[in-house]
Amino acid sequence: MSTTRRRFIGFAGASAAVAAFGGCASLSTHPPAGGRVVVIGGGYGGASAATRLRQLAPQIEVVLIEREPAFVSCALSNRILAGTMAIDELTVGYGGLAANGVRVVRGEVTAIDADARAVRLAGGSVLRYDRLIVAAGIDFMYETIPSMAADPGQAMQVVPHAWKAGAQTLLLRRQLEAMPDGGVFAIHIPPTPYRCPPAPYERVSQVAWYLRNNKPKSKIVVLDSNDAIVAKAGLFTAAWKKWYPGMIDYRPKSLLVDVDLRTLTAITEFEKVRADVLNVLPPMRAGRIAAQAGLVTTNARWCDVNYLTLESVKVKNVHVLGDSTFAAPGMAKSGHMANQHAKVCASAIADLMQDRMPFASPMMINTCYSFITDREAVRVSHVHRYDADKRTMMLIPGGVGLSAEPTALEGTYAVRWAQNIFASMLG
Amino acid sequence: MQRTNRRGGPFQQALAANALVLAVATTGVHAQDMNTARHLAQTCTNCHGTNGLSVGGMPSIAGQDREYLARQMRDFRDGKRPATVMHQLAKGFTDPEIDALAAWFAAQKSPARR
Ligand SMILES: Cc1cc2nc3c(=O)[nH]c(=O)nc-3n(C[C@H](O)[C@H](O)[C@H](O)COP(=O)(O)OP(=O)(O)OC[C@H]3O[C@@H](n4cnc5c(N)ncnc54)[C@H](O)[C@@H]3O)c2cc1C
């Protein structure tokens, strides 16, 4: 903490004048009488929390700070690779949040001073908070891939991750379009835990859909650093056999050691795989700002929280939610789960700021749909309940549900799921 | 609601149901059940829409009949109504929780009443 404080000499005297979305009145440095909650990140977690807090406690000022101009959903973004969805369909502006009374600020939080209860934005302005929500998602550990470590920003233009939806997704799509028939698409899957356990296998399915229909002589090599398919293994294995026979070469225990950016070669402990399009998902950790603020508790990567409030176990008045958290047993890092974190967190903050006890037995539901073809999808769902003895969220007995097989009906529900969660979090 | 649930026979059930309806109409009575329901309902609303009012595709459950909603949840749970996902999710909730959730969603504004 002391280093943090030292870095902030002069912080106390700084003045704000932060312009909120739509050019409305600027925000003062100090919270208004009803109190202020600052939210860092307008993704699945942060947007859901801001919206819910406005519904539960309209007297509290909610300021959401997001570096990007609009929300772009990772969920369903693998369909962009298949060519069955456009990025516009997954992009939602922040106007709805503003209309619901959230003060949306476009900007980057560069530092948190938990002692002063203040955040600093790039550009130097300072906002004080009563409570802070850090929903900064994940960052990539490019330092583990030597050839990409020096300049990740440049290297990912050659070997994209496409694990934050947007320009990266479109880049990977263009690379696939430019790939010759008979080429090799190789993907590397990092060790768990990473963002959205089934999504890499959905990506393989969606790229296979595109290649089968457009470049049928092509091959897919899956270099999975895990011992086996991490989620919905039986469903994916059967689906690949049925729809994409002979196309997908799945190789478990393939931990990436480095890549050769010039030849697009993935180097694992055991082999070198040359590709025409190489997609590397690096190991992941909590969004950078979480580490800066001293919120990281576990394996130098994740932030442990009290699951009744999502408050950090380390830093008071700071709540962490979504992918940045150290997950409870059996808990996925998903958009749906980030939304559930957000709702428990917003309820608890509304209570705490009105001197009430937070609800003592919350539940959380998760679902992740994965598209196999252009229409058929499979699903996994989880039901978690707070366990007062273990002091964490636990899967209830029989709390994991799976589709019996890929169906077009679940494909339809996957899209409707997105429409409803977008509306409920972004207005 | 033919089946007797874990909360007792039809008479007790009717009493409990009355109490919940009262809790909606007035304040204070069984406020605790409704408070629990409000928290648990947050596990449903990202699929079924804010307060159960779907923006499309997913069934709207806001403002539907309380008895109907509770029966659907039990039928999903007991495998009597086929479903893509609800048969698995409904297993996570106790009978009193199902009744409280049904009362809470029944008390939300439906599109017709909007
Ligand atoms: C290909 C793919 C498919 C997926 N499919 C599904 C699915 O079907 N269902 C599902 O539920 N989940 C899915 N997910 C997972 C889901 O996208 C994530 O779990 C979810 O985005 C996590 O939410 P979050 O709020 O923690 O992070 P994010 O949604 O990433 O939000 C974090 C936000 O914080 C902002 N930010 C970070 N730091 C700062 C800062 N210092 N200052 C300002 N802003 C900052 C970022 O710009 C970002 O907008 C998928 C993910 C991928 C990659």
Side-chain angles (χ1 to χ4, degrees):
Chain A
M1 278 300 106
S2 60
T3 43
T4 320
R5 198 182 298 163
R6 243 178 279 128
R7 213 181 300 161
F8 279 129
I9 291 176
F11 204 120
S15 70
V18 177
F21 181 86
C24 343
S26 66
L27 295 157
S28 68
T29 302
H30 290 277
R36 174 188 284 160
V37 173
V38 171
V39 183
I40 304 176
Y44 274 96
S48 300
T51 297
R52 191 65 187 141
L53 206 45
R54 290 295 303 161
Q55 291 164 355
L56 292 169
Q59 73 282 4
I60 300 172
E61 183 185 76
V62 180
V63 183
L64 182 143
I65 306 166
E66 167 61 53
R67 65 162 80 99
E68 301 293 338
F71 168 83
V72 185
S73 174
C74 286
L76 297 184
S77 69
N78 283 326
R79 301 188 82 209
I80 294 172
L81 305 177
T84 57
M85 201 148 211
I87 197 151
D88 295 357
E89 298 173 81
L90 300 180
T91 306
V92 186
Y94 289 113
L97 277 185
N100 287 331
V102 177
R103 313 289 300 268
V104 182
V105 175
R106 170 108 188 258
E108 168 95 22
V109 176
T110 53
I112 298 170
D113 183 346
D115 296 329
R117 289 202 205 177
V119 300
R120 171 176 295 183
L121 279 74
S125 50
V126 169
L127 275 178
R128 291 182 183 275
Y129 59 80
D130 295 293
R131 286 186 178 269
L132 176 68
I133 296 176
V134 179
I138 46 117
D139 268 306
F140 302 110
M141 299 167 69
Y142 276 113
E143 70 274 16
T144 63
I145 307 170
S147 69
M148 300 186 84
D151 190 354
Q154 185 52 41
M156 70 173 76
Q157 300 307 316
V158 181
V159 175
H161 55 76
W163 219 241
K164 294 186 184 183
Q168 278 277 301
T169 319
L170 297 176
L171 171 63
L172 184 55
R173 167 74 188 166
R174 284 197 304 276
Q175 291 185 346
L176 288 166
E177 283 172 332
M179 187 174 111
D181 190 4
V184 172
F185 169 73
I187 179 172
H188 173 258
I189 304 171
T192 59
Y194 59 80
R195 158 174 286 182
C196 204
Y201 312 100
E202 179 191 53
R203 172 163 295 175
V204 168
S205 310
Q206 292 298 283
V207 171
W209 169 258
Y210 169 71
L211 294 178
R212 195 195 76 182
N213 291 308
N214 297 281
K215 293 158 188 178
K217 296 203 280 287
S218 307
K219 289 266 179 277
I220 298 179
V221 180
V222 185
L223 300 171
D224 193 339
S225 52
N226 299 288
D227 292 349
I229 293 179
V230 168
K232 309 179 201 174
L235 287 166
F236 280 116
T237 307
W240 291 350
K241 216 169 144 191
K242 174 174 172 187
W243 273 288
Y244 313 115
M247 182 176 259
I248 300 166
D249 177 355
Y250 177 76
R251 304 182 190 171
K253 298 181 186 169
S254 296
L255 189 69
L256 192 76
V257 178
D258 202 357
V259 300
D260 183 334
L261 290 169
R262 203 178 40 82
T263 57
L264 293 185
T265 302
I267 305 161
T268 72
E269 290 168 305
F270 309 111
E271 59 177 340
K272 292 185 176 177
V273 177
R274 233 186 118 157
D276 295 280
V277 175
L278 180 58
N279 178 202
V280 168
L281 283 43
M284 297 170 205
R285 63 163 163 247
R288 196 168 298 119
I289 193 72
Q292 186 282 334
L295 297 163
V296 171
T297 55
T298 311
N299 301 333
R301 288 167 76 186
W302 309 111
C303 310
D304 199 4
V305 295
N306 169 354
Y307 273 98
L308 287 178
T309 57
L310 280 296
E311 188 170 353
S312 162
V313 298
K314 239 176 122 189
V315 185
K316 255 182 91 62
N317 301 311
V318 179
H319 303 248
V320 184
L321 45 85
D323 286 355
S324 292
T325 53
F326 175 55
M331 185 175 272
K333 293 190 186 299
S334 75
H336 193 148
M337 185 48 74
N339 166 279
Q340 296 287 282
H341 290 173
K343 283 173 172 167
V344 170
C345 176
S347 302
I349 287 181
D351 283 336
L352 290 166
M353 286 178 70
Q354 293 170 86
D355 295 322
R356 296 190 304 245
M357 286 289 288
F359 184 58
S361 38
M363 293 180 68
M364 295 178 184
I365 285 178
N366 176 55
T367 57
C368 272
Y369 291 94
S370 304
F371 273 89
I372 300 293
T373 67
D374 58 335
R375 291 177 339 119
E376 278 90 358
V378 292
R379 172 197 42 82
V380 62
S381 51
H382 304 95
V383 183
H384 305 258
R385 192 184 270 279
Y386 189 75
D387 184 319
D389 295 330
K390 300 201 170 78
R391 290 162 149 229
T392 187
M393 300 296 297
M394 296 296 289
L395 278 169
I396 64 158
V400 185
L402 282 171
S403 310
E405 56 175 357
T407 62
L409 181 57
E410 288 214 273
T412 310
Y413 278 133
V415 175
R416 292 167 175 177
W417 169 89
Q419 287 162 349
N420 276 285
I421 197 167
F422 292 176
S424 79
M425 65 193 236
L426 290 156
Chain B
M1 276 235 239
Q2 255 117 334
R3 57 193 302 281
T4 47
N5 69 14
R6 287 154 217 162
R7 290 180 90 191
F11 184 58
Q12 281 91 331
Q13 269 186 34
L15 276 183
N18 273 340
L20 284 165
V21 171
L22 268 177
V24 178
T26 68
T27 45
V29 190
H30 278 236
Q32 216 186 326
D33 282 1
M34 290 315 267
N35 188 47
T36 300
R38 184 172 61 87
H39 284 284
L40 299 187
Q42 298 189 133
T43 65
C44 321
T45 47
N46 63 328
C47 282
H48 286 287
T50 306
N51 297 330
L53 198 61
S54 165
V55 296
M58 293 285 184
S60 261
I61 54 176
Q64 288 214 50
D65 180 63
R66 187 186 57 76
E67 290 270 348
Y68 172 81
L69 290 175
R71 192 167 58 246
Q72 301 318 303
M73 287 296 280
R74 292 198 172 86
D75 285 354
F76 285 136
R77 183 192 64 190
D78 301 340
K80 288 186 197 154
R81 176 173 167 183
T84 62
V85 61
M86 285 307 301
H87 59 305
Q88 291 168 345
L89 301 183
K91 287 197 176 70
F93 296 84
T94 65
D95 274 313
E97 285 167 348
I98 287 176
D99 290 331
L101 279 167
W104 191 88
F105 279 111
Q108 305 307 308
K109 283 199 184 72
S110 69
R113 278 197 264 155
R114 228 185 170 198

